[in-house]
Every structure is written in structure tokens, then in C-alpha cells.
Amino acid sequence: MNKLEHVLVAYGDELGYHHGAKFQILAAWQKWYSKLDVSVCVVTDKPELFSDYPVRIIQITSQDAHNWSLAGTQHFGIKLRALEKAMHTTDAPASLLLDTDTYWSKNPRPLINQIKPNKAVMFCDEGQIRGTRNLSINRFNEGLRNREIPWADTSYKLSNLSRMYNSSMIGLHKNNIDLLARAFELFSALEPHVEAHTVEQFSLGETLRLNGVCVSFGSRYTRDWSSIGRKNYATPILKEFFEKFGENDFNTHLKQIDSIRITRPLKILIQQKIARLKGQS
């Protein structure tokens, strides 16, 4: 039995996210993802892009995408349901999801060892909700202050303990699968009241807190290309790689992985900053 399953969720028409999933798998394969006690699962609406990869594939159907995104109104809910489906169909006691625009820079084994029935892992703590100076996080105060929101068989109220945890990484024990369903229910309840794209991760963090699951953080084990500047640089490089070597030739991709450099050179970074400043003037 595998002790851990790494989960990647890739969906949508932008191939960059699917290519990012492949890059993450390739970059981690030799050191971590190929270990005997580890499996890899890709939950995707484009299973054909991963058909030659040594991973377990779960397809996101059009009906899944519709239901999990609240009829297309908020696609971030797909992550919660996709991870839930992956965990329901594996015998691994722990699952560790990492977003497809993020990759491991250090051995994640210490994180894996922290995933227990009473302890989860997420990417980072972005801060308290009440009293925040962050404009995006403050939208939760604006939408939820002094309100009691029906939530399944109970209700939800914002608390002084409420915090924003980043869900670029989610590590959960199999005993806590049901909390993903509860988090999706809270996400569904809160989404109409909060004008933010972070309702999904907030809902998961609150569900874990309210069910007594402690959370530790793993951002220091990763690097990412999630900012606009990094994404604008990395996406064409990955696109060129998979156009050159094809979408489904895992062995060739693995041999050529070291040719991919998605870290921006200083010259490119300066050019992007200058272009951004000119656009603001």
C-alpha cells in the first residue's frame, strides 16, 4: 500500500496549467514521485494529455465541472471536489495536493510525516480576517460581518479566530475526507456573500479549524510561477517544450527535463518591471 499520494488538479482550456502539472511531475520524479511508497494522481478534464505518464488519472467530466464550480460561477470549487474524489479512490492514508503552477524545491517528506488525523498541511498563513489591512481579505469582513450564514445542518459566523490559509498546497489524512465535503458546503454557502476568489481556501481553513484539525504550512518547500510576470515567462517555455517533444512521451520528457528553465533571468525581470511601470503611467 502506498503511504502517500501526490495529487494534481489540471482543468480548463489554458494548456499552461496542464503543462505545469507535467513539469511538476517531471521535476520531482527521480527524487520523490517515483518512490515505491508514493503514487501520483492527476484529476483533469484532459486525460489524453497524461495518457503516457505513469500516474493515476481521474477524469473531470463536463457535469463534474458544472457541479463543482457552482454552475460555472466559481471554478475554484473544483479543487475541493477533485481532491475529495482522488482521496475516495486511493488506499493511501495521506494525500498531498500541490497547485500546477508550483513545484517542489525541497524533499516534501517532512510535510508528509506531519499529515495525521488531527493535523493537516496547507501552503501558508495569509493572516487574520478581522482587522486585516489586505483589501482582498477584508472582503470577508464586508460580506460576513454580523451575519449568520446557513451552512448545511448548522450555520457559520465569522470569528476573531478566522484566518486566511492559502490552499496552493493541501495535505490531508484519509480520515478527514468528509471535511472536504463540509468545506465545499461552506464554500457554496459563502460564495454569494463574498466578492473574492479565495472563498474556497477560506472555507477549507475554517472547516479544519472548526473541526479541531491543526494546520502547519509548507510554502518553504516549494517554488512557484503563479505571479503574472512569472507566468508570462514560464508558460511559453513549457508550451515550446511540449510542442518540440510532444504531449505524451514521458521517457523523453524525463530525459529532457533539465533543459527547462522557468526562473526569470534578471534582464527579463527588469524588462517586465519597466513595462509594468510604463503601463501604470
Side-chain angles (χ1 to χ4, degrees):
M1 181 180 74
N2 293 316
K3 293 182 180 179
L4 172 85
E5 183 160 83
H6 286 280
V7 180
L8 301 91
V9 181
Y11 60 89
D13 294 329
E14 293 187 29
L15 284 180
Y17 292 107
H18 302 273
H19 289 162
K22 290 182 176 183
F23 175 74
Q24 183 191 129
I25 293 167
L26 293 166
W29 188 257
Q30 296 287 15
K31 291 183 178 180
W32 305 306
Y33 282 11
S34 61
K35 300 304 180 184
L36 291 177
D37 61 346
V38 171
S39 60
V40 180
C41 177
V42 178
V43 190
T44 178
D45 60 354
K46 292 181 171 53
E48 69 278 5
L49 296 179
F50 299 88
S51 61
D52 188 49
Y53 273 53
V55 300
R56 190 168 71 92
I57 298 173
I58 297 176
Q59 182 171 0
I60 300 174
T61 67
S62 58
Q63 189 62 55
D64 288 335
H66 178 84
N67 294 341
W68 299 351
S69 64
L70 306 183
T73 60
Q74 181 57 283
H75 73 88
F76 291 101
I78 292 175
K79 184 194 294 188
L80 292 174
R81 285 302 202 197
L83 178 57
E84 181 186 359
K85 191 168 186 176
M87 292 185 70
H88 270 300
T89 54
T90 181
D91 60 359
S95 295
L96 184 58
L97 176 149
L98 191 64
D99 276 1
T100 62
D101 55 9
T102 309
Y103 56 101
W104 299 107
S105 59
K106 297 179 182 178
N107 189 339
R109 181 65 64 175
L111 286 175
I112 296 164
N113 294 336
Q114 294 182 50
I115 301 173
K116 303 179 185 301
N118 64 344
K119 193 168 185 180
V121 170
M122 293 185 71
F123 189 71
C124 68
D125 182 352
E126 297 183 355
Q128 191 172 7
I129 303 299
R130 288 184 175 172
T132 184
R133 295 183 179 180
N134 182 296
L135 294 179
S136 177
I137 293 177
N138 193 52
R139 290 177 180 171
F140 288 82
N141 287 314
E142 295 169 353
L144 302 177
R145 185 186 291 115
N146 299 323
R147 302 187 67 177
E148 189 166 333
I149 309 296
W151 172 23
D153 55 353
T154 183
S155 61
Y156 173 81
K157 291 181 67 175
L158 196 66
S159 163
N160 288 333
L161 299 176
S162 301
R163 305 185 70 84
M164 180 66 71
Y165 293 162
N166 188 305
S167 66
S168 295
M169 178 190 301
I170 304 173
L172 284 179
H173 193 275
K174 196 171 181 66
N175 287 11
N176 292 327
I177 293 177
D178 291 347
L179 295 186
L180 287 169
R182 292 287 292 171
F184 186 84
E185 291 172 344
L186 183 58
F187 161 73
S188 303
L190 299 185
E191 198 279 332
H193 303 283
V194 182
E195 294 185 14
H197 67 272
T198 50
V199 179
E200 157 266 323
Q201 63 182 24
F202 175 76
S203 298
L204 177 58
E206 285 293 83
T207 300
L208 294 173
R209 176 180 70 82
L210 292 169
N211 284 274
V213 179
C214 298
V215 178
S216 57
F217 305 100
S219 61
R220 67 187 181 278
Y221 291 88
T222 69
R223 292 179 182 170
D224 68 83
W225 44 280
S226 59
S227 70
I228 293 175
R230 292 173 185 170
K231 191 162 292 184
N232 288 342
Y233 180 76
T235 301
I237 289 176
L238 293 175
K239 181 174 183 290
E240 181 180 357
F241 178 88
F242 289 106
E243 285 180 345
K244 180 177 181 180
F245 297 110
E247 291 287 352
N248 275 300
D249 190 345
F250 176 77
N251 290 331
T252 298
H253 295 170
L254 195 59
K255 292 175 182 177
Q256 299 295 330
I257 182 62
D258 290 338
S259 68
I260 299 179
R261 293 285 185 271
I262 62 172
T263 303
R264 290 175 294 176
L266 181 60
K267 179 180 178 180
I268 298 297
L269 180 60
I270 293 173
Q271 289 174 346
Q272 288 181 339
K273 288 185 177 294
I274 292 173
R276 188 165 63 249
L277 289 172
K278 287 182 177 180
Q280 293 173 352
S281 61

